[in-house]
Amino acid sequence: MEEDRKSKACDGCCDLIFETMPNNRPPAIAQAFWLQATATGEICGRGCEGHIQVSAQGLIPLGVYTLFFVTDRGLWPAAPLSAVYTSDGFDPNRLVVNTNGTLNYYVAPLDYNPLRGIPTPSGVAKITSVIISLHSDRLTNGLSLGDPNVNVFNQLTAPMCFPRTEE
């Protein structure tokens, strides 16, 4: 009974409203162009699974991006824990923007409830925000983001909904 109450406390959705990060752009990209990016999304959890969806506009046309969860234990790809990462840069959270600078990303089901956090070997990592990052070298880096402000630039960020409590 107690476990039922806990799972229902973390059932629901969190709307993601992204803001641009003006100081993280590659030098070759004009700040006005970088700042035109907008994105919205949603993270939902129910029981022991969930999903994330994001729509963005004004990104670098045909740019390679990734979506990461920022947690209290570091960065985690916004993908299922069971995802297989390859060394060729075609990671499960690799996002290729279309020629109009638009992307739509949807992952379901996540094999965990993101409103509760991400189960890791060292405990649950609570998600604090979501970032959308450009890979200027067009390569992704598996479980790590890459070298910030060298080959990866965080363009958009959205905080998770708070307060979130488990009863």
Side-chain angles (χ1 to χ4, degrees):
M1 178 101 167
E2 179 69 23
E3 191 57 38
D4 287 341
R5 241 187 3 200
K6 275 188 175 183
S7 76
K8 288 186 172 102
C10 286
D11 285 353
C13 294
C14 171
D15 289 332
L16 300 172
I17 307 299
F18 288 85
E19 295 181 6
T20 56
M21 301 173 74
N23 299 323
N24 287 332
R25 67 184 169 80
I29 297 175
Q31 187 168 22
F33 184 80
W34 186 256
L35 294 175
Q36 75 179 355
T38 61
T40 59
E42 175 182 77
I43 295 178
C44 294
R46 184 168 184 85
C48 294
E49 63 181 33
H51 75 259
I52 181 168
Q53 63 185 28
V54 172
S55 295
Q57 303 77 36
L59 301 175
I60 307 301
L62 301 176
V64 173
Y65 285 79
T66 52
L67 193 70
F68 271 81
F69 292 132
V70 179
T71 76
D72 60 353
R73 295 173 183 246
L75 296 172
W76 289 87
L81 294 176
S82 60
V84 176
Y85 291 84
T86 60
S87 60
D88 59 7
F90 290 98
D91 296 326
N93 69 338
R94 177 184 167 99
L95 314 172
V96 179
V97 176
N98 71 16
T99 56
N100 297 320
T102 301
L103 77 78
N104 290 300
Y105 181 70
Y106 179 74
V107 175
L110 292 171
D111 49 1
Y112 53 90
N113 183 331
L115 300 181
R116 280 194 176 165
I118 304 168
T120 71
S122 61
V124 175
K126 297 288 183 185
I127 298 170
T128 58
S129 62
V130 179
I131 57 173
I132 299 174
S133 304
L134 170 69
H135 295 269
S136 60
D137 59 3
R138 303 192 56 77
L139 299 174
T140 55
N141 301 285
L143 295 172
S144 71
L145 186 60
D147 294 319
N149 298 321
V150 174
N151 63 6
V152 67
F153 298 85
N154 301 333
Q155 187 169 8
L156 295 154
T157 183
M160 283 289 286
C161 301
F162 288 105
R164 219 173 45 239
T165 59
E166 291 190 37
E167 297 173 357

